[in-house]
């Protein structure tokens, strides 16, 4: 089972009510020499409760054999994880580990953490051991977020692999009315975040927020799908045709991208997802 202390934290922590990222007026820029934290500030944790922290866990996978194309587990690493952990610590009352970690699905420590993150699964193929571990993790109360893959073929690859994990369950589109879009930040649309080099502005001020797919399929509409347990709890949250991780990673590189995508979309959606994961 996912450890009891994290389930208790999920019930007890309270996010700062009404705090909007844009209203805080913050903006972090990486500066100074390149270090292990790439300029992201560190913070102290309570030495009396070293384990009672939210830790951002990125999943490492070795496969690169799917048919959908795509990158790999380390995309946007490590700035994305560090920046998102920093903003959780700053913008919420959740106590956050300043050091995000990387685990494999077959690591016994997986069950110590209630939230895990997989990026660019367009060519991911689970081993049979990973299939079994992920199924047990999710059914025991864990939450998987999948992010940053585009187009029909990459989605089909991820859907096929998740079907191996949950043969009796299928992903369903999550309606905008679902609490995951409103529990902290009241989102008016399903956010779509492109990589920074794909973001664009038109002459009339329109915003291009999607990336092109290698298979030529339509990527203009973001999809947020879920695999639920028998009680209706989201176990797997699939963020397709969007790249929230780049909104976290690249926040300090371009003022317009920061304001349009990091502030308005990537951080609010990410915080909402973690809030849901920690309270269900």
């Amino acid at each position: 089972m996912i450890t009891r202390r994290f389930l208790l934290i999920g019930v007890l922590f309270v996010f700062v009510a009404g705090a909007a990222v844009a209203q805080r007026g913050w903006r972090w820029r990486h500066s100074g020499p390149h270090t292990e934290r790439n300029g992201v500030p560190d913070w102290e944790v309570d030495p009396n409760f070293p384990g009672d922290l939210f830790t951002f866990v990125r999943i490492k996978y070795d496969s690169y054999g799917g048919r959908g194309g795509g990158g790999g587990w380390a995309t946007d690493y490590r700035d994305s994880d560090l920046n998102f952990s920093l903003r959780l610590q700053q913008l919420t009352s959740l106590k956050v580990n300043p050091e995000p970690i990387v685990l494999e699905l077959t690591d016994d420590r997986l069950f110590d953490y209630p939230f895990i993150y997989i990026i660019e699964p367009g060519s991911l193929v689970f081993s049979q051991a990973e299939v079994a571990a992920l199924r047990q993790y999710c059914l025991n109360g864990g939450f998987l977020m999948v992010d940053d893959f585009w187009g029909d073929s990459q989605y089909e690859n991820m859907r096929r692999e998740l079907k191996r994990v949950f043969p009796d369950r299928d992903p369903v589109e999550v309606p905008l009315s679902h609490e995951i879009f409103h529990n902290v930040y009241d989102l008016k649309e399903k956010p779509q975040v492109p990589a920074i080099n794909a973001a664009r502005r038109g002459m009339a001020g329109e915003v291009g927020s999607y990336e092109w797919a290698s298979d030529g399929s339509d990527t203009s509409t973001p999809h947020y799908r879920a695999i639920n347990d028998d009680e209706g709890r989201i176990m797997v949250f699939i963020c397709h045709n969007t790249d929230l991780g780049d909104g976290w990673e690249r926040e300090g590189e371009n003022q317009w991208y920061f304001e349009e995508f990091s502030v308005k979309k990537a951080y609010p959606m990410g915080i909402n997802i973690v809030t849901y994961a920690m309270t269900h």
Side-chain angles (χ1 to χ4, degrees):
M1 294 290 289
I2 302 301
T3 51
R4 179 174 173 79
R5 70 173 182 271
F6 284 109
L7 296 180
L8 290 173
I9 290 171
V11 172
L12 292 174
F13 82 80
V14 179
F15 274 90
V16 180
V21 179
Q23 294 174 341
R24 292 296 295 266
W26 50 255
R27 181 160 194 256
W28 175 253
R29 282 185 179 275
H30 300 301
S31 60
H34 184 87
T35 66
E36 185 182 357
R37 293 186 62 83
N38 293 345
V40 179
D42 200 352
W43 59 90
E44 294 184 0
V45 299
D46 190 334
N48 296 316
F49 302 97
D52 291 341
L53 300 168
F54 173 85
T55 299
F56 188 95
V57 179
R58 175 184 289 256
I59 296 301
K60 178 181 179 181
Y61 55 88
D62 295 327
S63 59
Y64 202 79
R67 300 180 219 165
W73 71 267
T75 300
D76 300 335
Y77 183 75
R78 164 168 149 94
D79 287 353
S80 174
D81 309 29
L82 289 167
N83 283 339
F84 186 66
S85 297
L86 172 67
R87 296 313 181 191
L88 275 176
Q89 176 72 14
Q90 288 183 327
L91 295 173
T92 77
S93 60
L94 180 63
K95 302 305 180 185
V96 180
N97 187 346
E99 286 296 328
I101 66 172
V102 176
L103 292 179
E104 296 180 352
L105 287 172
T106 52
D107 193 311
D108 290 340
R109 293 173 293 168
L110 186 75
F111 294 88
D112 291 334
Y113 303 97
F115 173 95
I116 58 176
Y117 177 79
I118 290 178
I119 195 168
E120 287 225 11
S123 58
L124 180 155
V125 177
F126 291 126
S127 69
Q128 196 54 46
E130 289 172 327
V131 166
L134 181 57
R135 179 178 176 84
Q136 183 182 4
Y137 172 81
C138 291
L139 291 177
N140 283 356
F143 183 99
L144 166 64
M145 174 184 173
V146 182
D147 183 34
D148 188 13
F149 60 123
W150 299 79
D152 294 345
S153 61
Q154 290 197 9
Y155 176 75
E156 176 58 23
N157 184 81
M158 185 76 264
R159 186 204 63 77
R160 184 172 58 247
E161 291 305 300
L162 288 172
K163 192 67 172 176
R164 295 175 59 209
V165 179
F166 300 106
D168 56 340
R169 302 173 194 270
D170 294 303
V172 295
E173 188 76 24
V174 181
L176 184 59
S177 58
H178 193 282
E179 64 177 292
I180 203 166
F181 296 107
H182 308 282
N183 55 14
V184 179
Y185 295 99
D186 186 19
L187 300 177
K188 306 303 183 185
E189 62 181 6
K190 295 181 180 181
Q192 185 175 58
V193 178
I196 194 168
N197 58 2
R200 53 204 179 276
R201 286 180 287 186
M203 295 295 292
E206 66 274 16
V207 174
S209 61
Y210 58 91
E211 300 180 25
W212 303 108
S214 59
D215 64 2
S217 57
D218 182 15
T219 58
S220 61
T221 300
H223 293 282
Y224 289 85
R225 300 181 176 97
I227 297 177
N228 302 318
D229 67 12
D230 291 340
E231 305 301 321
R233 176 187 71 90
I234 295 176
M235 299 186 293
V236 180
F237 193 62
I238 305 163
C239 309
H240 177 228
N241 288 345
T242 191
D243 183 358
L244 299 176
D246 223 48
W248 306 337
E249 179 197 11
R250 306 296 191 123
E251 65 156 75
E253 297 183 28
N254 178 281
Q255 178 73 37
W256 172 76
Y257 183 83
F258 167 76
E259 293 176 351
E260 186 65 38
F261 294 108
S262 301
V263 168
K264 294 180 181 179
K265 300 182 178 184
Y267 282 118
M269 188 72 251
I271 288 174
N272 279 10
I273 293 169
V274 169
T275 301
Y276 181 93
M278 295 294 287
T279 54
H280 291 74

